[in-house]
Amino acid sequence: MRRLPLFPLGVVLFPGMPLQLQVFEPRYLRLLEDLAEQDPQEREFGVVAIREGSEVGTRRVHSVHSVGCAARLASARSLGERFVIRVMGTWRFRLDGIDAAAETPYATGLVTPLSEMRGSATRVAEHAREVRRALETYATALNGEIPPLPEDPDELAYTVGALVPLSIPDQQELLAAATTEERLVVARDRLRREAGLIRATHSLPFRRNVGDISPN
């Protein structure tokens, strides 16, 4: 079990995927100060998706999802009283609890790193091909093109989660899948569903680019 500073957000971060954030709350500015004192390779905090509540405003965070992703700080740029930071998702974890003894203004989680298990090699290869075909169908429904896709099956599934405008529960299901095999099946099924919805409703979803997310 490890201790990891937590940053609840209204988005899901995936391993290998970038994320841009605006930081302005005093407790998270303090987090940036604490990270700055560490070795660059150790400047990590945990991103957990909010289940109930909100990032800012009167409705604070009441609960978060139990599986999150560690974020390594890549850069920070000052904008007066706030910072724009860019992070990269690194490893998944299970949130086991909150460290009540941590004397920090932000929450410090007690987390267990989750291993990346593949499952059946044959089915992983088969499902990866299905995901690629589903992405082509989805792109056709959007009248667009898909970007170059990674060869690694896990990266492929995580790219679907980051690029396709899925709901938080759908993204969370991708992140929390126990094996690559299961994750690819979730990605394939969600792509097929989204393509079907586009064809049925003749409307396009909101599209975002990986690394261009500013939820605060």
Side-chain angles (χ1 to χ4, degrees):
M1 187 177 296
R2 298 177 55 174
R3 287 173 172 78
L4 191 68
L6 296 181
F7 202 138
L9 289 174
V11 297
V12 175
L13 177 64
F14 296 95
M17 298 293 115
L19 182 65
Q20 181 171 292
L21 302 168
Q22 292 187 37
V23 180
F24 56 87
E25 287 192 69
R27 55 182 168 173
Y28 296 123
L29 292 174
R30 169 64 183 279
L31 171 59
L32 291 182
E33 293 176 1
D34 292 346
L35 292 175
E37 297 177 357
Q38 301 178 15
D39 182 272
Q41 294 302 311
E42 297 178 354
R43 292 173 183 169
E44 291 185 329
F45 58 88
V47 171
V48 285
I50 297 170
R51 187 191 299 271
E52 294 179 286
S54 63
E55 298 167 9
V56 295
T58 56
R59 290 191 69 228
R60 290 301 187 182
V61 176
H62 298 298
S63 67
V64 297
H65 288 273
S66 60
V67 175
C69 181
R72 179 169 297 154
L73 182 64
S75 65
R77 179 165 54 94
S78 175
L79 295 177
E81 297 181 350
R82 64 179 61 204
F83 279 82
V84 174
I85 68 172
R86 187 174 176 84
V87 303
M88 180 67 70
T90 51
W91 46 276
R92 299 182 307 137
F93 62 82
R94 182 183 68 240
L95 178 60
D96 298 311
I98 301 298
D99 184 2
E103 297 180 354
T104 55
Y106 48 83
T108 297
L110 300 172
V111 307
T112 299
L114 297 176
S115 59
E116 299 293 344
M117 298 182 292
R118 282 293 172 103
S120 165
T122 301
R123 286 194 289 271
V124 164
E126 176 185 349
H127 295 324
R129 288 191 294 270
E130 292 171 344
V131 168
R132 291 177 186 278
R133 288 195 293 269
L135 272 168
E136 291 174 359
T137 301
Y138 178 77
T140 299
L142 287 175
N143 295 318
E145 296 182 358
I146 59 175
L149 297 173
E151 292 296 328
D152 180 81
D154 273 311
E155 291 181 25
L156 176 63
Y158 290 140
T159 298
V160 171
L163 282 179
V164 180
L166 301 174
S167 67
I168 292 293
D170 284 340
Q171 290 181 314
Q172 195 64 37
E173 187 176 2
L174 265 174
L175 181 68
T179 66
T180 304
E181 182 183 338
E182 294 177 18
R183 188 169 297 114
L184 288 168
V185 169
V186 173
R188 178 202 64 193
D189 292 349
R190 298 302 175 272
L191 281 167
R192 289 174 175 174
R193 183 195 67 192
E194 293 300 310
L197 287 172
I198 293 170
R199 290 193 296 266
T201 62
H202 304 288
S203 62
L204 301 181
F206 171 79
R207 301 177 69 183
R208 71 166 187 258
N209 294 320
V210 174
D212 191 29
I213 306 170
S214 300
N216 283 345

